[in-house]
Amino acid sequence: MMRTPLCVVHRMARHVGQMSLLTWHIVTATLAGRVSFRSVVAQAYQMGVQSLPLTIVTGILSGVVTAQQGGYQFTSSIPLYVLGSVVASSVVLELGPVMTAFVLIGRVGARITAEIGTMQVSEQIDALYSLGRDPVPALAAPRLMAGIAVTPLLV
């Protein structure tokens, strides 16, 4: 089945609208104080502390590869004692944040997607609605707040 460009644009606009509404609900729930601090701390622990070993290993390996390649490339052009500062600045300033984002996208994104997907399949989110509770302050807002707090610390 071939999709028309108008159909693709409509689906994209609907998705952008849904994401904007979710963001708005998260911001209003946070500013209204309906987000549990305990949930934010639990999510920050799962996102930050449990991601720390993988982030450290990724940073070390990025530094090793950058030093190896830099040493090979700079052999005849500049003195090798400059290599340490070049590697440190390139890994810390450029490669570190990107690799940390990859780790968080892969590890934390997969965990959150599996967790929320399982809750949707097992109708736990529908149960929250039927009890009169909004799932955004309980599920989405703590994860976003914890991610915003933890990402710079991991970098």
Side-chain angles (χ1 to χ4, degrees):
M1 178 178 170
M2 186 166 171
R3 294 187 179 147
T4 62
L6 187 60
C7 178
V8 173
V9 170
H10 180 265
R11 287 181 51 191
M12 186 173 59
R14 185 173 55 198
H15 182 71
V16 168
Q18 289 172 344
M19 293 305 294
S20 299
L21 283 174
L22 178 63
T23 304
W24 175 252
H25 287 302
I26 290 172
V27 168
T28 55
T30 303
L31 294 177
R34 295 187 295 144
V35 179
S36 169
F37 181 71
R38 183 174 292 190
S39 298
V40 174
V41 170
Q43 290 299 320
Y45 176 78
Q46 289 179 352
M47 287 181 190
V49 175
Q50 291 182 351
S51 296
L52 197 57
L54 187 58
T55 306
I56 289 172
V57 167
T58 305
I60 289 171
L61 292 177
S62 300
V64 167
V65 169
T66 305
Q68 178 66 30
Q69 287 297 317
Y72 176 72
Q73 296 294 325
F74 293 155
T75 304
S76 61
S77 59
I78 63 171
L80 286 180
Y81 63 84
V82 179
L83 182 63
S85 61
V86 170
V87 168
S89 64
S90 65
V91 169
V92 171
L93 295 177
E94 302 294 331
L95 204 54
V98 173
M99 296 307 285
T100 303
F102 285 158
V103 167
L104 288 178
I105 288 169
R107 186 189 175 283
V108 175
R111 182 188 64 83
I112 290 174
T113 302
E115 189 176 3
I116 300 289
T118 303
M119 292 177 81
Q120 181 69 35
V121 168
S122 64
E123 298 179 352
Q124 294 177 22
I125 296 175
D126 294 335
L128 285 174
Y129 277 121
S130 68
L131 291 172
R133 291 195 57 200
D134 186 13
V136 171
L139 299 176
R143 286 166 174 79
L144 182 67
M145 291 174 62
I148 290 171
V150 162
T151 301
L153 296 175
L154 284 174
V155 169

